[in-house]
Structure formats: structure tokens, C-alpha cells
Amino acid sequence: MDKVFKALADPTRRQLLDLLHSDNGQTLSALCEHMAMTRQAVTQHLQLLEQAQLVAVIWQGREKLHYLNPVPLHEVYERWICTFERSRLSALHALKQRLEGDQDDET
């Protein structure tokens, strides 16, 4: 999970993930068209995303296609976001019941 957080910490890598989210299965050349950096720099960012398993690569003939792998992001969501969300949702549900109960008492 540390590799995922490290990969997500960089805005360039987040931009690459956004590009793959909007159009999955892109070549390095296609991704470079949207980036203001050298092909080598984009390659290095993609390698970090691959190491974090956020990007999967499939060779199609001579082309290397990059695909977004949402599984590590889901694991972060389940471990960190969902856990904190549960308590908030429980509190909102309790508040809703209390407010609805107060309305029932008034009628």
C-alpha cells in the first residue's frame, strides 16, 4: 500500500491515471501527447505506477498498451475511506431517526 500512496502523491502520475481512466489502453506515444515532458520522464512515471500495480501492461503486437488497474485504489478506499465514512453515515442515520422521531411527536 505504501507504493500506491507514493505513486498517488505525484500530480503527474495522477494525471496519467486520469488519462487512462478517460481512455483505457493507451500507448506510451498517446499518453505523451497530453504530457508536457519527455517520453523518458513519462516512462519513468508509468514504471512507478506499474510497480504500485495501478497500471497493467498488455503487449499487442509491437505496442505496449497501458490499462488502469482500479484494484489498489479500491483497497485504499476499503481500508481508509470506507472505515471513516461508516461512522459518519451512522451518525447521519441516527440524526435522521432522531429528527423524524421528533417530527412524529409534534403531529
Side-chain angles (χ1 to χ4, degrees):
M1 196 165 290
D2 289 342
K3 288 182 181 182
V4 173
F5 282 110
K6 181 180 178 182
L8 293 174
D10 185 86
T12 300
R13 291 191 284 273
R14 291 193 306 268
Q15 183 181 1
L16 285 167
L17 292 175
D18 287 339
L19 289 169
L20 291 174
H21 181 260
S22 65
D23 185 19
N24 218 1
Q26 294 188 54
T27 62
L28 176 61
S29 296
L31 290 168
C32 286
E33 289 177 10
H34 303 284
M35 307 299 291
M37 59 180 56
T38 65
R39 184 179 178 95
Q40 183 179 5
V42 173
T43 300
Q44 290 174 348
H45 284 291
L46 285 170
Q47 286 173 344
L48 281 170
L49 291 170
E50 286 179 51
Q51 290 171 3
Q53 298 181 353
L54 290 165
V55 169
V57 173
I58 296 178
W59 284 92
Q60 192 173 54
R62 292 177 55 181
E63 289 187 323
K64 184 178 179 182
L65 301 178
H66 300 85
Y67 290 89
L68 175 65
N69 177 16
V71 174
L73 294 173
H74 180 72
E75 289 171 353
V76 167
Y77 172 79
E78 286 292 318
R79 170 84 197 288
W80 294 100
I81 299 168
C82 190
T83 302
F84 297 112
E85 229 174 56
R86 278 191 198 120
S87 62
R88 289 185 185 145
L89 291 173
S90 295
L92 286 173
H93 180 70
L95 178 62
K96 179 181 182 272
Q97 284 182 327
R98 189 171 185 190
L99 290 172
E100 287 175 350
D102 289 346
Q103 288 177 341
D104 290 339
D105 292 341
E106 292 176 4
T107 54

